[in-house]
Amino acid sequence: MREDNAIYLYCLARAESIPVIDDLARQGLRGVDERYPVSSLEHDDLVAVIGEATLGEFHEENLRTLDWVGPRAWRHEQVVEMVMRVSPVLPVKFGTIFRSRTNLAALLSRHAETISCGLEELRGKTEWTVKGYLDEELARLRISAENPAISSRLAQLPSTPGARYLAQKRVDALSETELHAWTDRAKRAAYGALTAAASNATELNLPPHFEGGEPMVFHLGFLVAAAGMRDFCLKLDGQRRLYGEHGLRLELQGPWPPHHFCTTLAP
């Protein structure tokens, strides 16, 4: 390893993944820093999937620049997904760096039992996300038609322009309140139904809203065992049928490495 380089960590896995990692290295698989191949560091039955990286490149300005982070984060994820095909993995955050193999080996030794238990807990399971997108115009129409208070007020709007305008504004405010309440109920119902078919679940942050498309109104994460995937999909289909006529579209994405269901290790 070059003197000014550091050890870049992709994920932790079982030793059963070492032949695959070695084969990928022979094929020239490059990681976050394309100059260096992916390799491994063993500790008993555990393996850290690693590569070299130039420490000086991971400075604040680069880490805030999408053009620099984007392709490297993508390569990071590709390495983790390749290892995930043959072993349970504990993925780590992009940009996790150790000064030396010795420092990383010390962490593996210190947390070996926790890592081992975490990997076994994740064996045969993958992360899936469910995103809820809402056609707000359709949802407002359906909710207004089904809500007696809103439909009654709409039927009794005054005929005079000024009074009608004020009454319509009050109806619109009531409709908006009910829309948010309905969306929250739908989210909680979908979360509960899908959690019943998952090993674990969590509510994820919404990404920034971009103009022009359906707004994402919720973002849910699930850890699902391979044996439970059919039941999970059946429950998802049920939720789609239940809410689709109101303009709520549920999008399933995955499988992903279990980023949101990993054991946290102290430094």
Side-chain angles (χ1 to χ4, degrees):
M1 186 174 77
R2 287 180 46 174
E3 186 176 340
D4 58 343
N5 279 2
I7 298 298
Y8 185 96
L9 177 62
Y10 295 91
C11 63
L12 303 171
R14 285 293 188 192
E16 62 204 54
S17 65
I18 291 175
V20 173
I21 298 168
D22 290 344
D23 186 50
L24 292 172
R26 283 193 295 271
Q27 295 175 34
L29 174 67
R30 303 286 161 162
V32 166
D33 191 324
E34 292 184 294
R35 293 170 292 182
Y36 307 108
V38 173
S39 60
S40 60
L41 175 65
E42 297 178 56
H43 177 82
D44 296 334
D45 189 38
L46 305 176
V47 59
V49 183
I50 61 174
E52 287 188 47
T54 303
L55 184 60
E57 292 185 353
F58 286 81
H59 54 75
E60 187 174 350
E61 183 177 350
N62 275 348
L63 292 173
R64 291 186 302 184
T65 304
L66 183 59
D67 287 344
W68 189 88
V69 172
R72 290 166 177 79
W74 182 83
R75 291 197 294 271
H76 174 111
E77 189 70 7
Q78 288 297 106
V79 171
V80 178
E81 290 182 10
M82 288 178 182
V83 178
M84 185 180 73
R85 295 171 189 169
V86 295
S87 168
V89 298
L90 290 175
V92 301
K93 291 181 179 180
F94 171 78
T96 300
I97 292 177
F98 291 80
R99 290 282 184 176
S100 67
R101 284 175 172 260
T102 301
N103 290 348
L104 176 55
L107 179 135
L108 292 178
S109 177
R110 189 162 61 249
H111 297 290
E113 184 175 354
T114 300
I115 295 169
S116 183
C117 291
L119 288 170
E120 286 312 300
E121 178 63 26
L122 293 169
R123 185 176 291 278
K125 301 169 186 172
T126 49
E127 181 173 323
W128 296 79
T129 59
V130 174
K131 299 177 179 179
Y133 294 93
L134 187 64
D135 181 334
E136 293 184 333
E137 183 177 355
L138 175 58
R140 284 192 182 91
L141 288 172
R142 293 299 299 262
I143 291 169
S144 296
E146 296 169 2
N147 186 296
I150 297 175
S151 57
S152 174
R153 292 189 184 193
L154 286 172
Q156 300 175 36
L157 288 175
S159 58
T160 56
R164 187 180 185 88
Y165 172 81
L166 292 175
Q168 183 66 60
K169 293 291 285 184
R170 287 192 289 269
V171 171
D172 290 345
L174 179 60
S175 177
E176 191 69 19
T177 298
E178 181 56 27
L179 175 65
H180 288 296
W182 181 89
T183 302
D184 186 62
R185 290 195 298 271
K187 177 185 72 174
R188 287 187 280 111
Y191 184 83
L194 295 173
T195 297
S199 301
N200 205 344
T202 187
E203 186 171 348
L204 304 176
N205 293 330
L206 290 173
H209 175 60
F210 297 99
E211 297 296 333
E214 296 172 326
M216 188 190 303
V217 291
F218 58 78
H219 188 195
L220 309 174
F222 300 92
L223 185 67
V224 185
M229 197 63 210
R230 182 176 181 276
D231 187 34
F232 183 85
C233 289
L234 287 173
K235 283 184 166 51
L236 178 61
D237 287 342
Q239 294 299 299
R240 284 169 169 160
R241 289 192 298 271
L242 186 60
Y243 296 112
E245 291 184 355
H246 285 75
L248 180 60
R249 178 170 61 86
L250 302 180
E251 181 179 285
L252 177 67
Q253 293 185 339
W256 312 117
H259 290 285
H260 297 97
F261 302 98
C262 284
T263 302
T264 300
L265 301 178

